[in-house]
């Protein structure tokens, strides 16, 4: 689990907003408790409503790292002390992702981690769910 979650992360891969407009790659992630259960809140832009992700305890045990999920079927997987993999499994095919990204605080990870690397990491999730 990243040692300091309540901070800013940078999205590795470009994301488009409404109408194809680019979105600022900075993300704010905060860990909180809601009714005694850990949740992550992710703010994609200033003024944006935060997306919330609940901890999936059984899935985390099986995956070997903390796994969070939101109501839209998007997962956040702890990758290392500096970052997270964000993945949305494809509804059409079990072994693919319709969306995958990497949020990090590490310049080294940002410069070196590839989409292939995070897809391989997240593929373990597909084998479990």
């Amino acid at each position: 689990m990243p040692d300091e979650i309540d901070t800013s992360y940078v999205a590795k891969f470009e994301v488009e907003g409404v109408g194809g407009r680019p979105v600022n790659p900075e993300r704010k992630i905060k860990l909180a408790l809601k009714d005694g259960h850990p949740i992550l809140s992710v703010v994609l832009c200033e003024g944006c409503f935060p997306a919330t992700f609940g901890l999936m305890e059984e899935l985390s045990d099986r995956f070997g790292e903390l796994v969070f999920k939101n109501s839209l079927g998007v997962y956040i997987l702890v990758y290392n002390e500096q970052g997270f993999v964000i993945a949305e499994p494809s509804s059409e095919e079990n072994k693919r992702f319709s969306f995958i990204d990497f949020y990090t605080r590490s310049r080294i990870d940002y410069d070196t981690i590839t989409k292939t690397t995070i897809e391989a990491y997240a593929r373990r999730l597909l084998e479990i769910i």
Side-chain angles (χ1 to χ4, degrees):
M1 175 65 112
D3 52 0
E4 183 185 336
I5 292 179
D6 301 341
T7 191
S8 294
Y9 294 79
V10 177
K12 168 78 175 180
F13 304 101
E14 186 173 342
V15 177
E16 292 184 355
V18 176
R21 293 186 304 247
V23 174
N24 182 338
E26 182 180 356
R27 308 288 185 258
K28 303 267 188 207
I29 299 179
K30 181 175 182 75
L31 179 66
L33 289 177
K34 181 178 180 181
D35 300 326
H37 298 286
I39 61 165
L40 285 180
S41 294
V42 180
V43 179
L44 298 177
C45 64
E46 192 167 321
C48 289
F49 190 76
T52 57
F53 297 79
L55 177 64
M56 308 298 292
E57 291 182 33
E58 183 179 321
L59 190 55
S60 296
D61 289 342
R62 293 172 60 201
F63 187 72
E65 289 288 350
L66 294 181
V67 176
F68 296 82
K69 181 182 177 188
N70 72 8
S71 61
L72 299 174
V74 178
Y75 292 84
I76 294 184
L77 317 169
V78 170
Y79 183 77
N80 61 21
E81 292 293 317
Q82 300 291 316
F84 301 93
V85 171
I86 294 67
E88 180 181 16
S90 173
S91 60
E92 297 174 8
E93 191 177 326
N94 270 352
K95 300 299 178 194
R96 299 197 49 153
F97 296 100
S98 56
F99 172 82
I100 194 156
D101 204 345
F102 183 63
Y103 296 174
T104 186
R105 296 179 302 154
S106 166
R107 185 65 196 190
I108 293 170
D109 284 352
Y110 186 87
D111 290 342
T112 60
I113 289 181
T114 66
K115 198 168 234 184
T116 301
T117 303
I118 63 170
E119 284 176 346
Y121 180 78
R123 189 160 289 114
R124 291 184 9 228
L125 175 70
L126 293 176
E127 295 167 2
I128 297 170
I129 58 174

